[in-house]
Amino acid sequence: MTDLPDAAIPVNVIPVSVIVVSRHRPAALLRCILALTHQDHSKLELIVVADPEAIVQVQALGLSLKCVMFDEANISAARNAGIALAAATIVAFIDDDAVAEPTWAKRLVAPFTDPRVIASTGFIRARNGISYQWRACEVDQFGQDHPLEISQTTLLASTRQRAVKTQGTNCAFRRDVLLQIGGFDPAYRFFLDEADVNLRMAGMGLTAIVPDAQVHHGYFASPRRAANRVPLNLQDIAASTALFLRRHAPLADETVALTSLSLRESARIAQHRRAGRINAQAELALLGSMTQGWAEGLTRPLTDLSPLTSTNTALRLLKTGPRPGKVLAGRFWQKRRLLAQAAASSDTITTVFVFSPTARPHKMSFQPEGYWLQTGGIFGRSDRESPRFRWISFRKRVTDETARLKRFRPIRQF
């Protein structure tokens, strides 16, 4: 394991092709793209792989980017279509329902100045924009995650039994290595597709974990999950789990593995039932889809992947680069004026603080108009590990929040 102090990370501008896959979620996609135009990385190519209706809306933006029409429920095949068009030596991935901090791309690709690095991944904020949804872990040959305690950029080696996991909504790879291993396996239509890549790349180089390369993941609704995160269908999760075991742990006991999956998903469903988000009939349907998916995964063709072929296209740079940061702050009764002012500040990275005289916990989100909005009580917490109530002045609270956020985006000290 190699630790790299963040201040020591090279900042050479490495060209990167960022690939966003989307299907029938145009509003989320447009918000994701808007955040990518705010990246401080000046050599960024954007490739959008999406359904025809979304592609029409993306092209109407008039941005310099590449588009691929793809309307199949197969994330792996869609990503491979994007990789084939990528012109940069590094390819990065972010989900359409996620938004990147302005420093994300530059930080994510910085470790690739070390020739040993073949992949990198960053941290992911949850829907509230404050707490972490995912930080760092390894994945084993059974598809199980093992958390890692990582606080600074760290380089780790992987094995075919246990690999550093790159989370799909925040990861990057050397393009030539992805091409060599055959890219993402289309047999994984959803779930465990990145973990499969991580294990197949094991032994070819190091993976960098970059805590400050951050994205916010929103969990928008999809055919597999409602907006409140209630699962709608477990077929693909079960099928991919069975397939993963066949590929990476062929001697595993299938009955034990299915029981383990059933226990995990049943516990997750039970939480939703207790919260009143799902009823008994829906629960039975979910468990039935899991059984069906498992049977499908045991019979789905499992083939050796051939190297991907690529299209020789020129690098098409999105208009990005460093922008100044600005803070707008006020009380809740000033919100309308502050948001109107933020929406008119298209040439800056604008962060708006709107605080009430309460102890409400804070939330942070990137708005479709192109600015960041943080709301909550003056006395509430923005760090989920801090006290629920803290007596503090409005001015000191704004100063503290500004100091917290300037690690991740350009922001003027209040």
Side-chain angles (χ1 to χ4, degrees), residues 63-116:
L63 300 174
S64 176
L65 46 74
K66 297 176 181 177
C67 291
V68 181
M69 287 192 182
F70 190 95
D71 197 7
E72 298 175 26
N74 190 318
I75 185 76
S76 296
R79 285 175 172 164
N80 288 346
I83 295 168
L85 275 185
T89 57
I90 308 300
V91 291
F93 297 89
I94 184 171
D95 288 350
D96 64 348
D97 60 351
V99 292
E101 288 282 358
T103 53
W104 168 70
K106 183 180 287 187
R107 287 176 170 172
L108 190 66
V109 304
F112 289 96
T113 56
D114 185 331
R116 300 173 299 168

Side-chain angles (χ1 to χ4, degrees), residues 329-351:
R331 276 74 168 182
F332 70 96
W333 61 82
Q334 300 170 306
K335 182 175 180 179
R336 179 176 296 181
R337 175 181 61 80
L338 292 171
L339 298 190
Q341 190 176 346
S345 304
S346 59
D347 57 340
T348 64
I349 305 297
T350 302
T351 301

Side-chain angles (χ1 to χ4, degrees), residues 241-260:
T241 301
L243 190 76
F244 190 90
L245 291 174
R246 289 171 58 204
R247 170 79 76 185
H248 300 288
L251 300 181
D253 188 309
E254 293 177 2
T255 302
V256 172
L258 177 57
T259 300
S260 177

Side-chain angles (χ1 to χ4, degrees), residues 25 92 106 172 220 235 252 303 307 320 334 337 360 368 385 397:
R25 298 196 296 197
K106 183 180 287 187
F220 277 52
Q235 182 171 347
T303 60
T320 57
Q334 300 170 306
R337 175 181 61 80
R360 289 181 178 175
E385 297 179 0
R397 188 59 196 257

Side-chain angles (χ1 to χ4, degrees), residues 101-342:
E101 288 282 358
T103 53
W104 168 70
K106 183 180 287 187
R107 287 176 170 172
L108 190 66
V109 304
F112 289 96
T113 56
D114 185 331
R116 300 173 299 168
V117 173
I118 59 171
S120 69
T121 192
F123 282 14
I124 301 169
R125 299 275 180 179
R127 182 164 48 183
N128 61 24
I130 301 291
S131 56
Y132 283 107
Q133 181 186 110
W134 189 87
R135 281 185 267 199
C137 72
E138 293 176 317
V139 62
D140 64 27
Q141 65 190 114
F142 304 103
Q144 299 300 303
D145 289 350
H146 303 272
L148 297 170
E149 290 297 326
I150 302 292
S151 60
Q152 61 184 13
T153 298
T154 303
L155 308 184
L156 295 171
S158 299
T159 70
R160 292 301 294 265
Q161 289 73 44
R162 192 153 167 159
V164 181
K165 188 173 184 178
T166 58
Q167 199 68 2
T169 192
N170 188 354
C171 60
F173 304 90
R174 288 198 187 275
R175 180 170 172 267
D176 60 348
V177 175
L178 272 182
L179 293 174
Q180 181 181 338
I181 68 168
F184 292 85
D185 188 346
Y188 298 92
R189 299 167 190 167
F190 171 78
F191 191 62
L192 290 175
D193 39 306
E194 302 96 0
D196 173 71
V197 165
N198 299 149
L199 287 173
R200 286 192 286 121
M201 291 176 67
M204 302 177 72
L206 302 178
T207 297
I209 299 173
V210 189
D212 281 357
Q214 296 200 356
V215 303
H216 299 238
H217 194 198
Y219 272 132
F220 277 52
S222 74
R224 301 181 182 90
R225 180 183 60 223
N228 61 359
R229 300 182 63 179
V230 172
L232 302 177
N233 191 299
L234 296 175
Q235 182 171 347
D236 282 329
I237 288 178
S240 290
T241 301
L243 190 76
F244 190 90
L245 291 174
R246 289 171 58 204
R247 170 79 76 185
H248 300 288
L251 300 181
D253 188 309
E254 293 177 2
T255 302
V256 172
L258 177 57
T259 300
S260 177
L261 176 65
S262 298
L263 289 173
R264 290 198 307 273
E265 294 302 326
S266 294
R268 184 160 68 111
I269 293 169
Q271 289 180 338
H272 291 300
R273 280 207 64 182
R274 287 192 293 270
R277 293 188 290 263
I278 194 171
N279 58 32
Q281 183 178 0
E283 180 178 6
L284 287 175
L286 280 172
L287 295 176
S289 70
M290 182 178 63
T291 302
Q292 181 181 354
W294 185 265
E296 179 188 337
L298 293 178
T299 58
R300 190 178 290 176
L302 187 64
T303 60
D304 293 331
L305 300 177
S306 301
L308 282 182
T309 56
S310 61
T311 304
N312 293 322
T313 60
L315 191 68
R316 185 178 300 173
L317 295 179
L318 188 67
K319 186 179 180 181
T320 57
R323 299 187 187 193
K326 180 167 69 175
V327 171
L328 301 175
R331 276 74 168 182
F332 70 96
W333 61 82
Q334 300 170 306
K335 182 175 180 179
R336 179 176 296 181
R337 175 181 61 80
L338 292 171
L339 298 190
Q341 190 176 346

